[in-house]
Amino acid sequence: MSSEPSSPPRRLGEMLQERGLVSGADVERALGLQGRLGGRLGAVLVRLGALSEDNLVEVLADQLGLPVAGRDLPWPDSAQVLDGASALGVRLDWLLDRQLMAWPVDAGVACASRDPLAPALAEALRFMAPGVAIHRALAKPQELERHLEDVARLAAAQREDVAGDARALRELAEEAPTVEFVNNLLAQAVEQRASDIHIEPEAQGFAVRFRIDGVLQGRLQLPRERFAAVASRLKLIAGMDIAERRLPQDGRFSARVSGQEMDIRASALPGVHGESVVMRLLPKERKELGLDRLGFAPDQLALMQAWAREANGIVLVTGPTGSGKSTTLYATLAASNDGLRKIITVEDPVEFQLPGITQIQTHADIGLTFAKALRSILRQDPDVIMIGEIRDLETAEIAVQASLTGHLVLATLHTNDAISAFTRLVDMGVEPYLVATPVKAVQAQRLVRRLCECARPCTPPVEYAAIADAWAERLGVASPPAWKEPVGCPKCLGSGYRGRIGIYEMVPVSPALQHLVVSGASVNALKAQAASEGVRFLRDDGFLKAREGITSVEEVLRVTSL
């Protein structure tokens, strides 16, 4: 087996033309591009589509006098490649990342790759394995990838055998490449404005996805054998038990990432192929906590500011998970914090720390539930109470009693629209008259993606334009319609959207609505009454923002329902 060419090699371009694989024009074009961009001539021809990589390998083998794996020497089995990594004294990750197969042979170590003569690769091998004879070989890309996948699969299986060993996992988690990978992953997520990072194991590898502006976007697809190290690293820094893989776990940590102080909540959930790890990224400093920054229209902003100044009663903010309810409540607290009122919150978890406000974190495992914390809060002489979420009858009843005894209670509730909050509380077991009397207002919201500056004008469907125009006239909006649709550019990563804004449904509780709630009226009857009183529902508010060119009709339809 030869490791070096025996005589000065012939020109590659000439050999390719002699065999009829490329034309002279192809070679001239490739040489011109090579002069400007650099690189090897064969790689440039492949990039131009003038030559297949398999044909290139065959000619290179003749030109350089090197064997071809699978043709001139047999491919090794996966176990031999793992032995080869040990013989070279290198990590298997290093070989896989460079698409390099290495395995022991009688006179040293054979190494097969697409470009075995790459100077950086040759230098690295000499540095890492001094005194070991390296016998280089060429490999066809598809065959090489197939064998590398087999090696990665075997390595993953071997690592799974020792994954229960906490010490081995800790060593994996503290290796420099793993630490660097996790740090870079966090930095990329922050730079791309991601709210969540999803690490999802699969049968043959694992995927990394970012949730950007509320939508999951794929970022990386990595070999399975790296998953144990990455998952262990994340669990270690989040304070979880890295040896426990059968039960769900939660953790959190703080870090400075890309110049920002971040609170990061982590969750590990066992699945068929391993633990799915999700991280929620929460900036410690939030610039958009003012009500005027959240996307309220002038009439909605006036209502919200008035509700924040109420002396007593309940103001509910509703919507599904991830719709921005907590941010709205924090902004409302900031608006009501005039220094004259005592404000206490009870949350799970405390997402942002606000100055001048007492914030309580619940701990159900030690018995500090929402209900128990609320009872203690009432002995602290508060003026305003914020409840992170009304989840059960006990919490709801205490909130009602607090509002009836002179406190303003701000709380979130999981419902699909504002009107459903009344029936949700009744379904929990609260008496209808105790729902109708203290609840002063209910707000529902969603987050829609803002159009990027690359958006272009468009013509909306007639029925949606009519709805938006009617509301614009009703509100006295003088600006002409500016409907737009997404396009996509590098700034928005091709999505057509950048950032998010809220759309809202604001329902002040009138005497007529109170009467309907007490009488047990249906949701449809309550909605009809709200509509007759001038309430603008979520989809209507979304169409108004689409009319202004802030978002698109498609985005409004995506996040709302009839």
Side-chain angles (χ1 to χ4, degrees):
M1 188 186 318
S2 175
S3 63
E4 297 289 343
S6 56
S7 59
R10 297 173 56 197
R11 292 182 180 275
L12 179 64
E14 295 174 357
M15 296 179 67
L16 292 170
Q17 289 181 71
E18 287 175 3
R19 302 186 186 199
L21 296 174
V22 298
S23 66
D26 289 330
V27 174
E28 290 298 322
R29 184 182 172 200
L31 288 170
L33 190 60
Q34 183 187 32
R36 293 195 304 272
L37 303 178
R40 295 184 182 275
L41 178 63
V44 175
L45 285 166
V46 171
R47 192 186 313 165
L48 290 174
L51 181 66
S52 73
E53 285 197 276
D54 284 359
N55 285 335
L56 174 62
V57 167
E58 297 288 347
V59 177
L60 281 175
D62 291 344
Q63 182 201 28
L64 302 174
L66 293 177
V68 176
R71 187 193 71 178
D72 304 314
L73 71 160
W75 282 106
D77 60 38
S78 298
Q80 286 179 292
V81 177
L82 297 181
D83 292 341
S86 299
L88 287 172
V90 299
R91 282 179 47 81
L92 184 64
D93 283 356
W94 188 86
L95 296 176
L96 295 175
D97 288 345
R98 287 153 185 80
Q99 292 195 303
L100 175 66
M101 291 278 285
W103 65 98
V105 292
D106 293 339
V109 175
C111 291
S113 67
R114 292 186 183 185
D115 185 4
L117 298 183
L121 182 61
E123 183 63 29
L125 288 172
R126 280 196 296 270
F127 177 78
M128 292 185 176
V132 177
I134 305 297
H135 301 276
R136 292 171 289 185
L138 287 157
K140 293 183 178 180
Q142 290 184 348
E143 292 184 18
L144 179 63
E145 289 175 4
R146 186 175 70 253
H147 286 282
L148 286 171
E149 287 175 2
D150 291 340
V151 172
R153 209 171 293 125
L154 176 62
Q158 290 186 356
R159 288 200 178 185
E160 290 290 335
D161 291 339
V162 299
D165 184 348
R167 185 172 58 185
L169 287 172
R170 186 177 294 274
E171 290 174 356
L172 283 174
E174 292 177 347
E175 289 177 347
T178 303
V179 173
E180 183 179 359
F181 174 80
V182 170
N183 291 343
N184 288 339
L185 191 65
L186 291 171
Q188 289 177 28
V190 171
E191 289 168 2
Q192 295 178 23
R193 303 173 298 102
S195 61
D196 302 84
I197 302 173
H198 291 245
I199 314 292
E200 301 168 330
E202 300 168 351
Q204 305 299 332
F206 70 100
V208 177
R209 298 198 288 173
F210 293 168
R211 187 177 295 279
I212 301 175
D213 296 332
V215 178
L216 278 174
Q217 300 181 17
R219 281 295 173 266
L220 295 170
Q221 196 75 31
L222 298 168
R224 173 75 190 194
E225 62 107 17
R226 298 186 64 181
F227 175 73
V230 173
S232 297
R233 176 65 187 170
L234 293 173
K235 290 169 67 177
L236 180 66
I237 60 179
M240 302 184 203
D241 181 356
I242 60 175
E244 177 57 75
R245 298 184 302 156
R246 300 165 300 171
L247 298 173
Q249 295 188 75
D250 295 316
R252 65 186 306 162
F253 61 99
S254 297
R256 184 171 179 82
V257 184
S258 294
Q260 296 186 53
E261 294 293 337
M262 306 292 294
D263 277 329
I264 301 171
R265 298 206 312 260
S267 170
L269 183 67
V272 174
H273 299 299
E275 290 177 293
S276 171
V277 181
V278 177
M279 290 179 288
R280 168 67 57 89
L281 309 179
L282 301 167
K284 289 188 177 182
E285 295 183 4
R286 297 282 294 222
K287 298 179 181 178
E288 68 270 23
L289 282 181
L291 284 172
D292 57 344
R293 294 174 175 266
L294 301 182
F296 287 105
D299 62 322
Q300 295 170 331
L301 181 59
L303 268 178
M304 202 67 194
Q305 289 172 333
W307 295 346
R309 292 192 296 268
E310 289 281 355
N312 55 66
I314 298 176
V315 176
L316 295 173
V317 177
T318 71
T321 301
S323 59
K325 300 186 299 297
S326 295
T327 300
T328 298
L329 278 183
Y330 282 128
T332 307
L333 288 177
S336 64
N337 188 15
D338 54 8
L340 303 177
R341 297 198 281 183
K342 172 80 169 183
I343 302 175
I344 304 180
T345 75
V346 53
E347 308 168 60
D348 182 24
V350 174
E351 294 189 6
F352 307 115
Q353 297 179 14
L354 301 175
I357 293 175
T358 302
Q359 295 174 269
I360 300 170
Q361 166 81 55
T362 64
H363 292 284
D365 52 341
I366 61 172
L368 184 57
T369 61
F370 276 100
K372 188 169 183 178
L374 281 172
R375 289 194 189 93
S376 300
I377 283 174
L378 293 175
R379 293 192 288 271
Q380 290 280 311
D381 188 29
D383 297 294
V384 180
I385 300 170
M386 193 268 269
I387 304 172
E389 183 186 344
I390 295 179
R391 299 177 178 178
D392 52 45
L393 175 60
E394 188 178 12
T395 303
E397 288 178 336
I398 297 173
V400 168
Q401 292 302 320
S403 67
L404 291 173
T405 54
H407 304 88
L408 175 62
V409 178
L410 308 176
T412 70
L413 196 64
H414 281 288
T415 62
N416 289 326
D417 54 48
I419 295 297
S420 298
F422 300 108
T423 56
R424 177 82 177 95
L425 290 172
V426 172
D427 290 343
M428 281 184 182
V430 182
E431 292 294 335
Y433 74 93
L434 287 178
V435 174
T437 304
V439 177
K440 296 290 182 73
V442 184
Q443 175 218 301
Q445 67 180 66
R446 298 289 189 279
L447 294 176
V448 295
R449 291 180 291 173
R450 287 178 178 269
L451 285 166
C452 179
E453 58 190 27
C454 62
R456 63 190 174 202
C458 70
T459 302
V462 175
E463 63 271 27
Y464 302 147
I467 293 172
D469 289 341
W471 275 106
E473 183 179 356
R474 186 171 181 176
L475 296 171
V477 177
S479 57
W483 302 90
K484 294 181 181 179
E485 63 183 3
V487 176
C489 67
K491 189 173 182 180
C492 61
L493 302 176
S495 69
Y497 299 93
R498 185 172 173 81
R500 289 191 289 178
I501 190 171
I503 58 174
Y504 301 95
E505 185 174 294
M506 316 282 284
V507 182
V509 180
S510 64
L513 270 177
Q514 284 182 332
H515 176 73
L516 288 174
V517 172
V518 171
S519 62
S522 67
V523 171
N524 288 337
L526 293 172
K527 284 185 177 179
Q529 177 61 35
S532 70
E533 296 176 4
V535 168
R536 186 163 71 252
F537 296 114
L538 282 170
R539 184 165 281 191
D540 301 332
D541 194 47
F543 289 151
L544 262 180
K545 286 185 169 63
R547 183 182 185 273
E548 297 171 16
I550 297 173
T551 188
S552 66
V553 170
E554 294 78 12
E555 181 67 4
V556 173
L557 296 176
R558 182 181 71 85
V559 301
T560 62
S561 58
L562 290 174

